[in-house]
Amino acid sequence: MEVNFKELTFKGERPLVFILSGAGLSAESGIPTFRDANGLWRKYDPKELASIGALERHTQDVFDFYNERIKNAEPCRPNAAHIAIAEFQKDVAAFCDVIHVTQNVDNLNELAGSPRVFHLHGDFQTSQCRKCKKTFPRIGFYQREQVYPDCGANNFAVRPNVVLFGEIPYGMDWIPSYLKKACVFISVGTSGTVYPAADFVRETKVSLRINLDLDPLIHPYSKFNHRVYGKCTETLPPLLDELKKELITRLKEKPAE
Ligand code: OAD
């Protein structure tokens, strides 16, 4: 691997590793990405199916779109990259903090045994009531008649707890401060097209992009210090192993206080 983790800085403090993931992480598990050749946004218009305006104008179409995606994701299983992140989180827990923010709405990180993952764009496992705003576990598929018991609002009131275009992603009140604190920022399987996630790299000291594609030239992604090209199931596991070794070496070198 070409990446040199020697430039990591975390003097006198517990290191923090920040991982951002996108659809490429789950692609090899069979969940389609958005902007690749077979991506969802090549077939469907996000303005018509994944925006706040669409939810208001033609809710049934939006529900059908999400019901189909939920159904298709159900048989998918974690791949070697999900497992590598989960194992890394557990292996370094005694001496390093890991924040994994995913743009993905699937639960493959959880199925891989990840102790913690934060869903920036919501997730398929929870629903939200449009009237009372409560968030609760998803029960079955979305339909007009579904209600949150204590609220009772119906007529498409229970919606997927996914961030639609026009809505603010979760976690933006705390994410920037942890990006600044992180000794390394690793972005895996995201095109960096959607903000605010595309801008996260600007806040970081040392950054690594793992992707199949070359990044565009005029782009926040040109801010990355390191790039690794290839399938994340092949590239991420050895990189996280290397990072773990480097963290252990550095912490051993740390002078006693
Ligand atoms: P994209 O579809 O925009 O980008 C997926 C990226 O993953 C591309 O850059 C691919 O090159 C890369 N990729 C594909 N397979 C890979 C593999 N096996 N290993 C490594 N990289 C691979 O998906 P996101 O960046 O996640 O938001 O999209 C961000 C947001 O746009 C999504 O969360 C969604 C979408 O609109 C909402 O719906 C709000």
Side-chain angles (χ1 to χ4, degrees), residues 107-170:
N107 66 343
L108 297 184
N109 293 288
E110 288 87 343
L111 289 179
S114 180
R116 271 174 302 280
V117 56
F118 184 83
H119 289 268
L120 186 72
H121 293 161
D123 66 276
F124 281 165
Q125 305 311 315
T126 55
S127 301
Q128 194 190 49
C129 175
R130 293 165 76 187
K131 178 139 188 274
C132 69
K133 306 291 178 210
K134 287 268 164 51
T135 302
F136 44 91
R138 176 176 62 80
I139 296 168
F141 294 100
Y142 293 97
Q143 48 181 321
R144 177 196 281 266
E145 298 76 19
Q146 216 175 7
V147 296
Y148 170 62
D150 282 352
C151 176
N154 59 16
N155 202 19
F156 295 119
V158 176
R159 58 164 278 189
N161 181 31
V162 293
V163 175
L164 300 171
F165 286 98
E167 295 181 312
I168 298 169
Y170 293 113

Side-chain angles (χ1 to χ4, degrees), residues 26-48:
S26 297
E28 292 170 74
S29 293
I31 298 186
T33 66
F34 297 94
R35 299 173 181 84
D36 290 316
N38 294 319
L40 291 174
W41 299 158
R42 303 275 177 163
K43 283 183 253 169
Y44 307 106
D45 180 353
K47 281 201 266 357
E48 293 304 314

